[in-house]
Amino acid sequence: MSSRRTTAIAGSLVTAAFSAVLILSCTASADDQGPGSSQGGKAMDAAPAGVKLTTLLPSKISVDNSTQKTAITATVKNQGTKDSGKIQLLVVGFDGLTVKNVQGCSAIGKNDLPAGSNSGFACPIDNLAAGKSKSYAVDATYDLKKQGKICLPVQAGDGKKTYWQQGPVPFGTTNPSPNAPATPLLLGTDNKPVAPSGGELPKTGVGQDLLPLGAAGAALLTAGAAGLWWSTRRPARQLRG
């Protein structure tokens, strides 16, 4: 076999191996958050006929212990038989979980945030076709010394009705790992905060109970004596600040 042919074959093998590594790396990265889950979600106001809106959150996320940064994928789906028309997805953070940015969305003004929340973004959607979904990359931080929750309401485009609401649902771990590079958190798990003294910190956070507000068409999130009122007095465009 000539040296030129040997070199060509070797080059092809290297290229194939490199491509395989890329494919495997991309696959592993895409699967980091596990399958999506609608845990903690509930239908609220009646959606238009033929429209069935739900949301999905990853089953697990990972928090960098040095920077407190984490990434979350928030997905809204139309499982109905008709197009949704104008809607909006809200991404709201509570307690230890702070939403820093949602790609393609606008921050909700501080005065328009629900009581008890620390951050939020509004994602307007002109139309979500039947059977389709739309996902958003969410950049967040998580203070592991606290509990942390996230909420995904899906509203009419004008914000006057809430068709679906997931959460506030917690991400957390019962086995903190402060000395590791990152801490994995599971959806639907109350976080066990890391206390410097070794003792457990007092629990904080808004509960997961969901109640429809009724005729006003907004969402009321209850946690014992603490309630969260989503005001519908301002149109959706003002909510986005």
Side-chain angles (χ1 to χ4, degrees), residues 213-234:
L213 183 61
L220 176 63
L221 314 177
T222 59
L228 167 61
W229 172 273
W230 192 277
S231 173
T232 60
R233 290 177 295 177
R234 299 180 176 87

Side-chain angles (χ1 to χ4, degrees), residues 35-58:
S37 171
S38 60
Q39 181 175 355
K42 183 178 180 180
M44 306 294 281
D45 297 311
V51 177
K52 183 180 179 182
L53 297 165
T54 59
T55 55
L56 297 174
L57 285 166

Side-chain angles (χ1 to χ4, degrees), residues 156-183:
D158 59 8
K160 291 182 178 180
K161 289 187 177 182
T162 299
Y163 299 132
W164 169 269
Q165 185 169 292
Q166 184 175 8
V169 62
F171 276 106
T173 177
T174 57
N175 185 26
S177 50
N179 297 324
T183 297

